[in-house]
Amino acid sequence: MTFSIHQPHDKLFKLSMTNLVIAKEFFAANLPIHVLEKINMNSLKLEDKTFIDDAYKTTEADVVYSATLGKGAAYLYLLCEQQTTVDSSLAFRLLIYTVRIMETHRKQHPKDPLPLVYPMVIYTGDESWDAPLDIFPLFGEAEQYARELLLKPYQLIDVQRTSDDELRQHTLSGLVTFVLKHRKTADFELLLKRLMPWIHEVELHEASGDFLCRIVLKYIVNRSSKGDKDLLVREAERYLSHELQGEVMTIAQQWEQQGIQRGIQQGIQQGVKQGEVAFLKRLLQRRFGDLPFLYAEFIAGADAETLLCWGEKVLDPEIKTLEEFFSELPLES
């Protein structure tokens, strides 16, 4: 296990606290009783990781131990703070380090619950520590609101369970939510009959109306089929201003042009692959004779990278038969 050590005091801290016997004694002496009772200290394991920001690597060092907590996991995060002055923002930085530990654990164990992370700070400065031990005072005048809101359940806006009438009460934001709610509707004509008068109302809105109409119309055009687009154009002519009618036509034409271009590109790619397949078959036939149907099927289904590899493999003089050439394929005997 290797660590980056910048200062002599880092060396003392790292070499001592990465020793399991010393670390266990330290935790036994300093952890609160209720934490010691919950964490299985016999499962303590040193983690070869650091979570310190680059800007603080000359003034901080950290050691991370993992352990079991019931059927889950826990981490004891030990930070050695070696700045000469008290850092009032340390609580916020510790929160960042704590979340990083959780994130790392979740990537390694995606199906497991989040681990508990218990941070501890060793402070070596001469001044008495007067910085906050949690992040709430760092919010200043909003401290009380932070205590009431932070790490509380987030607010969920479930659009599928929100009635259309309730959404209709909010002219601008309600339109956005309504479109998202009904994005998969099967009755496109009914949707437009409800939507177009609303868009016209938004169009007349002085604040952000024109901007919102354009992005909503573009969204509708891009998620509709060709037949739906014809219907959309007709409904736009019925409800919307001449300017927005032209916007709908422009967006629809651009969408169709992009579709044509995608089709052309796909056709070109398909044609290139067909040519590569035909060329490889011809090379194999010239070298080994008749190409059995099973091998021809494997070639036809291969991706571009595989075809390239096989094309180079044809030139290998040590391969004498088709069976040797396709030896890596899972052929049934």
Side-chain angles (χ1 to χ4, degrees):
M1 184 171 296
T2 59
F3 294 99
S4 178
I5 299 177
H6 300 275
Q7 303 291 344
H9 38 263
D10 288 355
K11 187 172 184 179
L12 170 65
F13 171 74
K14 285 282 193 180
L15 293 181
S16 59
M17 289 304 169
T18 56
N19 181 286
L20 187 58
V21 175
I22 299 173
K24 279 188 175 182
E25 183 186 271
F26 175 86
F27 291 133
N30 292 281
L31 281 173
I33 296 298
H34 66 275
V35 177
L36 278 171
E37 290 175 347
K38 296 295 183 181
I39 293 178
N40 181 2
M41 299 304 291
N42 292 325
S43 66
L44 212 61
K45 176 186 174 184
L46 179 65
E47 299 292 327
D48 186 12
K49 293 184 182 299
T50 180
F51 295 90
I52 295 174
D53 289 333
D54 290 340
Y56 293 93
K57 286 187 176 179
T58 59
T59 58
E60 291 180 350
D62 62 351
V63 171
V64 188
Y65 278 93
S66 61
T68 57
L69 177 66
K71 294 182 179 180
Y75 291 87
L76 299 176
Y77 183 64
L78 188 56
L79 181 71
C80 187
E81 175 72 8
Q82 298 151 7
Q83 297 191 68
T84 56
T85 58
V86 175
D87 183 359
S88 60
S89 65
L90 180 60
F92 177 63
R93 203 158 63 253
L94 269 176
L95 176 62
I96 295 174
Y97 298 163
T98 297
V99 172
R100 286 176 183 169
I101 295 172
M102 292 180 178
E103 184 180 35
T104 299
H105 179 89
R106 192 175 184 87
K107 288 179 180 179
Q108 296 173 344
H109 310 279
K111 296 183 179 180
D112 290 358
L114 284 176
L116 171 71
V117 180
Y118 188 84
M120 305 174 71
V121 176
I122 297 178
Y123 171 58
T124 64
D126 295 330
E127 300 179 14
S128 297
W129 189 268
D130 58 359
L133 299 181
D134 61 43
I135 67 169
F136 297 109
L138 301 181
F139 288 91
E141 295 181 357
E143 177 180 349
Q144 187 57 39
Y145 293 109
R147 292 185 182 276
E148 294 174 3
L149 300 176
L150 193 63
L151 295 182
K152 297 300 190 292
Y154 59 83
Q155 181 182 355
L156 177 67
I157 302 171
D158 189 346
V159 297
Q160 295 297 339
R161 258 59 59 181
T162 305
S163 70
D164 291 347
D165 290 339
E166 184 177 350
L167 296 177
R168 192 66 178 83
Q169 296 175 16
H170 309 283
T171 305
L172 301 178
S173 61
L175 175 61
V176 176
T177 314
F178 179 86
V179 172
L180 292 174
K181 177 182 177 181
H182 295 285
R183 68 191 188 280
K184 296 181 180 180
T185 184
D187 193 339
F188 191 64
E189 182 174 5
L190 177 60
L191 174 65
L192 291 181
K193 289 185 181 301
R194 301 171 65 186
L195 193 59
M196 284 302 177
W198 194 347
I199 293 178
H200 179 61
E201 179 183 340
V202 170
E203 182 183 7
L204 302 178
H205 202 284
E206 293 182 1
S208 304
D210 183 69
F211 167 77
L212 180 57
C213 288
R214 292 176 187 276
I215 61 175
V216 168
L217 287 170
K218 187 171 184 178
Y219 176 82
I220 295 171
V221 171
N222 287 341
R223 52 84 51 200
S224 58
S225 64
K226 186 178 186 307
D228 290 339
K229 286 183 176 61
D230 297 336
L231 176 62
L232 177 61
V233 170
R234 292 198 301 271
E235 292 298 314
E237 292 174 346
R238 179 180 177 185
Y239 288 101
L240 303 184
S241 67
H242 290 295
E243 184 177 1
L244 280 188
Q245 291 177 32
E247 185 77 12
V248 171
M249 290 292 296
T250 300
I251 296 172
Q253 290 171 357
Q254 290 175 347
W255 189 93
E256 290 182 1
Q257 184 61 35
Q258 291 171 358
I260 293 172
Q261 291 175 350
R262 285 195 297 269
I264 293 174
Q265 184 63 31
Q266 291 172 357
I268 292 174
Q269 292 174 351
Q270 185 63 28
V272 169
K273 181 182 176 181
Q274 290 176 352
E276 292 174 345
V277 168
F279 185 62
L280 179 59
K281 286 181 179 179
R282 184 172 180 181
L283 288 177
L284 290 172
Q285 288 170 343
R286 294 206 44 184
R287 182 167 179 195
F288 301 112
D290 292 339
L291 189 64
F293 176 78
L294 182 60
Y295 291 139
E297 286 292 293
F298 273 113
I299 295 172
D303 56 30
E305 184 176 354
T306 302
L307 290 172
L308 180 61
C309 292
W310 281 346
E312 295 174 348
K313 194 174 180 180
V314 172
L315 303 177
D316 188 345
E318 295 184 2
I319 297 177
K320 305 299 182 183
T321 65
L322 277 172
E323 288 75 14
E324 292 178 4
F325 185 88
F326 290 107
S327 60
E328 78 278 8
L329 294 178
L331 300 177
E332 296 181 359
S333 57

